[in-house]
Amino acid sequence: MGGTKKSNDVSTGSIEKEESVEEGLFFNGTILTLASILVILIGMLASQLGDIVTTISVLNSAGKGQHESRLSRHADERGVAGVTLQQDTDVAATITPFVDRNEPFVCRTCIPQSRLEYWSNDAAMLETVGPDAEIPVRFAKRALSSTAASSSGTLFRRLVTPGTSKSAYDERTMRFSEFLAAYDNKTSEDHLYGAQIPIVTHLPQLIDPIRASAPLGTLIEALGPTPPMNHKPLSMYIGYGPLKTQTHYDSLENFVCVMSGGMKTFELYDPATASLYMYINRKDEGNGASVFDNTGSKDSHHSFPLSKYAISTRVSLSPGDCLYLPVYWYHSVESSQDRTISINWWRMPERSKMMDLEHIFCSHSEASTTAARATCH
Ligand SMILES: *[C@@H]1O[C@H](CO)[C@@H](O)[C@H](O)[C@H]1NC(C)=O
C-alpha cells in the first residue's frame, strides 16, 4: 500500500518511487511473514484449547465423532461442558465435580433412541394413564408468528394480579385426554402447555415408562437425594412449539432430558452474573427475572441498562440429550416448532451450596427463610 501511495506522488523522483515500491514490498512481505507466524501460533493455541475442551468433555467416546462434537460445542454450547457416559463409566466420579462447582453439563445421547420410542405418540401415553387422569395446563395467548416479539413463539409468563405484587400462571386443571385433543390446535388463540406436570401425584402410571427410558440409573442419584414429596421429584413438560418460558431459577437441582420432539434450547445465566446485572429481586419476584420477561427481546435494556452485560450460555437439546441445570442458575427455555416432551428429575441441593449462593443473591446467608427474604433488597 505504501508503494502505491508513493508512485502517485508526482513530486518524487522515479528512483525514489522504485525504492518505495521495493520497500513497500519488503514491508508487506514482513507483515505477511509475521502474519503467518501469528496464524501458526494461534493454530497451536487453538489446538491446545481444543485439547482442554476435549479433556473437559469427560470420557468422550474414543475417537469416533470427536472432531464433530468439538465443533458443535463451539457452535451452540458456549461454556457448557459435555459428558458422555458409557456402561463402565464411574458416574458419581464424573458428575460430582460439576455438582460441587454448581456447573451445568450436557449429556448427549444420554438415552438411546430405542428407549425413546414410547414417547413418540400420544395414544400410547393415553392408554397407559387412562381416561380419568388430570393434569395442570398453562394457558397463554398464542403469539402470531408474523410479529417480531414472537420470533421465539408464545411466551408463557406469570401474570401479575393488578394492585399486588403477586403473580401466577393462568393454569387450569384438565383431563389429560382433553389436553391431548387440543394442544396441537394451531388455529386456536389459546396456546396450551402441559408444564411441570407432577408425575408422582398426577400421572403415576408413567413412572414405569419413565424408569424404562431413564439415563443410567446412578446418574440421577449422583446429583443429590430425592426432594420431599410435597416438592415434585419428577415432572413432565409436553407442548407444541414454538413456545418459551420466563427467565427464572429453581430452588432444586434439575436434570432434564428431551424424550421426543423437537428441540429445547436453554438460555442460562450463572448466579453471579444474574446477581450483578439482572436486577433480581427475590422479595418481589420470587424466582423470576422480570428484566428479560416483558418483551422477550433486548428492548428491556432501556429499563435495565446493566442487563446487556449479562452474557448467557445457550444449549440445545435434541431427543435423548439431557442437561444438568444447577440450582439457582437463571434460565429460559424455548421449545422448537414441534411436539416436544421432556422429563425432569428434581434433586435436593447440598444445604451448604444453597447457603453460599443465597448469600450472593441477597447479601445475607439465610435468604431462604421468610423473615430474611423480607429484608432482601
Ligand atoms: C381448534 O380451535 C378452534 C378455535 O378455538 C376451533 O374452532 C376448532 O374446532 C379447533 N379444532 C379442533 C380440531 O379441535
Side-chain angles (χ1 to χ4, degrees):
M1 229 190 343
T4 318
K5 246 187 182 167
K6 282 276 181 186
S7 42
N8 288 343
D9 188 346
V10 186
S11 68
T12 52
S14 66
I15 293 168
E16 204 184 329
K17 255 186 261 172
E18 289 276 86
E19 276 173 5
S20 299
V21 171
E22 284 278 21
E23 201 180 278
L25 277 178
F26 175 72
F27 193 56
N28 282 346
T30 310
I31 288 179
L32 276 175
T33 311
L34 281 174
S36 325
I37 292 170
L38 259 176
V39 164
I40 292 165
L41 280 176
I42 289 169
M44 286 167 69
L45 198 70
S47 79
Q48 290 277 340
L49 272 176
D51 289 345
I52 293 166
V53 166
T54 313
T55 311
I56 291 171
S57 170
V58 192
L59 299 171
N60 212 340
S61 53
K64 187 168 159 270
Q66 205 166 72
H67 186 60
E68 190 185 304
S69 68
R70 200 183 291 180
L71 284 177
S72 71
R73 176 193 158 92
H74 288 295
D76 74 351
E77 298 170 43
R78 183 174 42 161
V80 178
V83 165
T84 304
L85 298 176
Q86 274 143 16
Q87 287 304 330
D88 56 352
T89 302
D90 182 342
V91 176
T94 307
I95 300 312
T96 305
F98 288 96
V99 178
D100 282 351
R101 284 166 49 83
N102 214 44
E103 180 188 353
F105 65 79
V106 63
C107 179
R108 295 279 179 212
T109 326
C110 223
I111 304 172
Q113 195 60 39
S114 58
R115 281 156 60 186
L116 296 173
E117 257 160 47
Y118 174 82
W119 306 97
S120 64
N121 77 87
D122 293 342
M125 277 193 294
L126 193 53
E127 196 179 315
T128 308
V129 305
D132 297 326
E134 291 188 326
I135 60 163
V137 176
R138 290 181 194 168
F139 281 66
K141 289 292 162 233
R142 185 179 301 276
L144 298 169
S145 52
S146 54
T147 63
S150 68
S151 58
S152 50
T154 308
L155 173 66
F156 285 80
R157 63 187 312 272
R158 282 173 308 184
L159 307 169
V160 177
T161 314
T164 72
S165 62
K166 285 194 165 52
S167 63
Y169 289 106
D170 178 0
E171 194 167 272
R172 309 170 200 174
T173 300
M174 287 178 86
R175 286 206 168 163
F176 192 49
S177 55
E178 286 172 322
F179 168 78
L180 292 178
Y183 80 127
D184 64 342
N185 186 344
K186 293 186 176 67
T187 60
S188 167
E189 71 160 359
D190 283 328
H191 198 153
L192 277 57
Y193 184 29
Q196 213 170 305
I197 303 166
I199 294 294
V200 181
T201 51
H202 287 66
L203 302 172
Q205 305 87 345
L206 289 182
I207 291 175
D208 281 343
I210 289 172
R211 197 170 280 149
S213 310
L216 290 181
T218 51
L219 196 161
I220 307 287
E221 275 64 51
L223 296 169
T226 316
M229 271 300 294
N230 62 357
H231 224 322
K232 68 270 145 156
L234 192 62
S235 57
M236 179 168 81
Y237 298 74
I238 174 168
Y240 264 88
L243 59 85
K244 189 176 181 175
T245 71
Q246 286 182 295
T247 306
H248 67 283
Y249 70 82
D250 298 303
S251 305
L252 291 170
E253 305 277 21
N254 186 352
F255 192 70
V256 56
C257 301
V258 173
M259 313 303 276
S260 186
M263 289 219 300
K264 283 208 156 185
T265 300
F266 289 73
E267 187 157 20
L268 310 172
Y269 300 88
D270 70 84
T273 295
S275 67
L276 281 169
Y277 301 133
M278 288 170 68
Y279 302 82
I280 58 177
N281 182 341
R282 279 166 63 96
K283 188 181 162 196
D284 289 341
E285 282 154 12
N287 69 345
S290 66
V291 52
F292 289 132
D293 287 342
N294 285 315
T295 62
S297 78
K298 301 300 174 190
D299 290 348
S300 57
H301 286 159
H302 294 295
S303 326
F304 305 103
L306 290 179
S307 65
K308 72 178 176 209
Y309 300 119
I311 296 172
S312 64
T313 301
R314 287 173 73 88
V315 56
S316 293
L317 306 185
S318 298
D321 294 342
C322 305
L323 173 71
Y324 164 57
L325 179 46
V327 67
Y328 291 149
W329 276 64
Y330 277 79
H331 56 279
S332 63
V333 190
E334 256 175 70
S335 296
S336 68
Q337 193 154 9
D338 258 311
R339 169 185 177 276
T340 303
I341 295 181
S342 62
I343 301 280
N344 78 329
W345 286 260
W346 298 103
R347 311 301 296 181
M348 286 300 288
E350 274 289 327
R351 178 88 189 124
S352 62
K353 186 166 95 171
M354 292 190 74
M355 300 282 276
D356 290 342
L357 297 171
E358 288 171 359
H359 183 80
I360 291 173
F361 277 4
C362 277
S363 309
H364 58 73
S365 59
E366 278 287 0
S368 63
T369 69
T370 311
R373 200 182 287 190
T375 63
C376 211
H377 290 283

